[in-house]
Amino acid sequence: MSLLSTPPRVITVGAGLLDEALRAQAVQTVPVSWRPPLPGTAEALAKVLADPRRQAANELAVSRLTSARPYLVGVRRASEVLEAGTFLHAGPPITWERASGPMRGALIGAMLLEGRAGDEHDAARRLAAGEIALRPCHEHAAVGPMAGVVSPSMWLFEIRDDEHGGTAYCSLNEGLGKVLRYGAYGPEVLERLRWMDAVLGPALKATLERTGPLDLRSLIAQALQMGDELHNRNRAATSLLLRELAPAVVEAVPGHAAEVLRFINGNDHFFLNLAMAAAKVGTDAARDVPGSSLVVAMARNGTDFGVQVSGLGGRWFTGPAGVPDGLYLGTYGPDDANPDIGDSTITETSGLGGFAMAASPAIVRFVGGEVSDAVRATRSMYEITLAEHPAYQIPGLGFRGTPVGIDVTLVARTGLLPVVNTGIAGRVPGTGQVGAGLVKPPVEAFTAALLSLAEQAS
């Protein structure tokens, strides 16, 4: 009888149309957010969720990820960590035949930089003939932004995890616009790379020998509270790094101090490569936990988008890389854009980047959208992650930890895909950067990983 004598309260599930119709009639509702699982995943999802190893495995994996203590310990020549005749690249494995325009452009530029070809046509011919072995950065304890090409003469940041003992490498950041990582290889690109080889790398090496290891976890935590999200906005982090390095730069290389400090100060993305390598040592610490459904890598090579999962070893699960939706530079537009590219999605994998956009209202001026979109994006990622980061906190959300630890099963259950913000490379080799925006990973990669987990669980 109480149902007839009191105003009704209705629980609405699924599509918002019912809830809206009831509210229009002044009926009090309790909306429940529910989505069906991704198509074709129900059986596999049930098997994985029933795996008795899963909960403990995920707790172990995510605790390793969030407890990593990355320190910048030095810079090294890539020749010290590369096999002879090898170039590294971003994303899952790729061949020259399947390589996108910016990937080809960056590989051509590396050939010219190393003196392995007389001109761009000679470089393309030699690459097509297989004279250089192409290997993913991720499979050599490294990460690379955009094309991510690493050749022997380049300098690499060396980051060590003081908690778990892992090491990761990343190249030095060139800046934005016409740069090698976006597929440009003109004279100005090669000239800058040669200066980095001759001046910047040795200067940073000498500087870090004076400073000793730098605590990147602390710098990242501070930068988040100063408006960075550590993927496409690194202004605060770069400024903090510059403050740490500047006195030692002046002492270590007084003859080059002005140009080194001017270069770093003029490149707001300089810290990005450090954030990527810091994220890499954390996610690598979470690898190889049997039964874990935690994602430990997301990476793109301009053709494929790949993911790796803790409980599935080094296997790549891939789908087609999508074209970002965003803001374009000058007269460039969507027709000029290449599909998504780069290892920088390691930031999202570790709870930064798109997962931390609520900490960075200004990011929407670079990738598009409104501030409310950035906040909404971060909030939605709590639905597909296993934890909140204990050190990386968002002031605008009451200092809540960033969502961290993407769980393949939660992606399948909710249908939500990771939020990724990214730079946009021109599809024609040699173009460089044409914009920045947001991109959706391919659902196929996560579905394939879930099916493989189900095979192991059964």
Side-chain angles (χ1 to χ4, degrees):
M1 293 297 293
S2 62
L3 289 175
L4 301 177
S5 60
T6 58
R9 298 179 64 203
V10 181
I11 298 174
T12 59
V13 180
L17 183 62
L18 173 61
D19 185 71
E20 293 170 6
L22 290 169
R23 285 179 178 271
Q25 299 175 63
V27 175
Q28 186 176 357
T29 66
V30 180
V32 175
S33 178
W34 178 85
R35 306 173 187 85
L38 293 174
T41 64
E43 183 177 347
L45 185 58
K47 288 182 179 179
V48 176
L49 292 176
D51 186 343
R53 304 172 298 169
R54 177 178 163 275
Q55 182 173 347
N58 280 343
E59 288 175 356
L60 175 60
V62 79
S63 71
R64 288 180 180 175
L65 192 166
T66 57
S67 62
R69 297 295 307 226
Y71 281 81
L72 171 60
V73 296
V75 295
R76 297 177 64 182
R77 289 266 187 198
S79 57
E80 298 178 33
V81 297
L82 277 181
E83 302 168 9
T86 299
F87 287 177
L88 301 184
H89 65 80
I94 191 75
T95 61
W96 174 259
E97 290 72 24
R98 297 187 65 245
S100 64
M103 181 65 76
R104 289 191 174 201
L107 290 168
I108 288 170
M111 291 288 282
L112 298 174
L113 178 68
E114 301 296 337
R116 298 292 297 259
D119 57 32
E120 61 185 282
H121 303 293
D122 184 34
R125 180 183 63 79
R126 291 176 182 274
L127 288 162
E131 291 189 13
I132 297 293
L134 306 180
R135 300 284 185 266
C137 288
H138 267 292
E139 295 178 8
H140 289 75
V143 279
M146 303 308 290
V149 170
V150 176
S151 61
S153 69
M154 296 179 184
W155 289 87
L156 304 175
F157 287 121
E158 182 179 12
I159 283 73
R160 190 164 298 145
D161 177 6
D162 201 46
E163 180 69 21
H164 306 289
T167 300
Y169 302 94
C170 191
S171 56
L172 311 185
N173 194 285
E174 310 159 78
L176 297 177
K178 281 192 173 293
V179 290
L180 186 79
R181 73 179 188 276
Y182 277 97
Y185 54 85
E188 72 277 22
V189 175
L190 298 179
E191 181 181 354
R192 184 188 306 111
L193 289 170
R194 292 186 179 113
W195 175 82
M196 294 171 71
D197 170 29
V199 177
L200 182 62
L204 289 173
K205 179 178 175 65
T207 297
L208 290 166
E209 288 171 353
R210 285 178 173 267
T211 64
L214 296 183
D215 185 349
L216 297 182
R217 178 178 166 116
S218 174
L219 292 179
I220 290 170
Q222 292 177 66
L224 281 168
Q225 298 191 26
M226 297 169 67
D228 283 356
E229 42 72 71
L230 282 303
H231 187 167
N232 276 292
R233 193 178 196 278
N234 287 273
R235 177 173 292 185
T238 298
S239 299
L240 291 168
L241 177 70
L242 192 61
R243 188 174 69 174
E244 295 284 340
L245 295 180
V249 170
V250 173
E251 294 170 355
V253 287
H256 294 291
E259 58 184 313
V260 168
L261 294 175
R262 190 179 297 115
F263 178 80
I264 298 173
N265 184 62
N267 177 9
D268 286 343
H269 271 57
F270 191 78
F271 193 89
L272 167 63
N273 298 40
L274 290 168
M276 289 173 58
K280 170 72 171 166
V281 293
T283 56
D284 275 2
R287 285 180 177 270
D288 301 319
V289 179
S292 174
S293 52
L294 176 79
V295 174
V296 292
M298 298 192 296
R300 315 87 88 203
N301 56 31
T303 303
D304 308 309
F305 187 115
V307 302
Q308 293 180 319
V309 176
S310 175
L312 297 173
R315 292 178 59 188
W316 286 101
F317 301 91
T318 64
V323 175
D325 179 21
L327 301 178
Y328 287 86
L329 304 175
T331 59
Y332 291 120
D335 291 342
D336 301 301
N338 194 78
D340 198 22
I341 186 170
D343 286 337
S344 54
T345 32
I346 196 68
T347 56
E348 279 83 7
T349 314
S350 66
L352 299 170
F355 285 47
M357 288 202 298
S360 183
I363 192 66
V364 299
R365 302 294 297 271
F366 190 65
V367 302
E370 303 293 336
V371 172
S372 59
D373 297 326
V375 174
R376 190 178 305 112
T378 293
R379 288 189 182 279
S380 70
M381 292 299 94
Y382 289 106
E383 296 189 45
I384 63 170
T385 48
L386 294 166
E388 297 179 15
H389 203 288
Y392 301 160
Q393 299 175 339
I394 302 174
L397 297 183
F399 293 93
R400 187 176 183 183
T402 64
V404 62
I406 303 165
D407 183 354
V408 169
T409 66
L410 292 176
V411 173
R413 288 174 69 179
T414 64
L416 287 173
L417 293 168
V419 172
V420 173
N421 62 43
T422 182
I424 305 174
R427 61 181 179 81
V428 177
T431 301
Q433 184 178 13
V434 299
L438 301 174
V439 68
K440 288 185 177 180
V443 68
E444 299 96 316
F446 296 91
T447 299
L450 180 71
L451 295 176
S452 185
L453 284 168
E455 290 174 4
Q456 287 197 356
S458 57

